[in-house]
Amino acid sequence: MTTETLLVTGMTCEHCVMSVTEELSEVDGVAAVAVELVPGGSSAVTVTSDVPVDAETLRNAVTEAGYEVVRA
């Protein structure tokens, strides 16, 4: 199992959490998604996968949901 945490901006409510979780869950290999919602700030989105997943693929899934990954 591998884990990656993304900082995501633009999320304000549980609907946002569901949208991001749904998009990330559709990525091949992703086993679980956990979101620590910070309305108006950068929410921590932790992705657990069975195999390493390309970071760009995860960012693209977040973008597809309508949000932005903040690059550290």
Side-chain angles (χ1 to χ4, degrees):
M1 294 288 235
T2 62
T3 303
E4 171 133 8
T5 300
L6 308 170
L7 293 178
V8 179
T9 60
M11 299 172 64
T12 59
C13 63
E14 285 301 314
H15 176 74
C16 301
V17 171
M18 289 183 349
S19 295
V20 169
T21 300
E22 182 178 326
E23 287 295 331
L24 287 168
S25 295
E26 291 178 3
V27 174
D28 286 340
V30 171
V33 178
V35 178
E36 183 181 325
L37 181 63
V38 179
S42 296
S43 299
V45 179
T46 302
V47 179
T48 303
S49 56
D50 298 324
V51 295
V53 177
D54 181 60
E56 189 65 27
T57 301
L58 297 177
R59 283 193 292 274
N60 288 341
V62 170
T63 301
E64 183 68 27
Y67 304 95
E68 183 179 349
V69 175
V70 178
R71 298 182 197 259

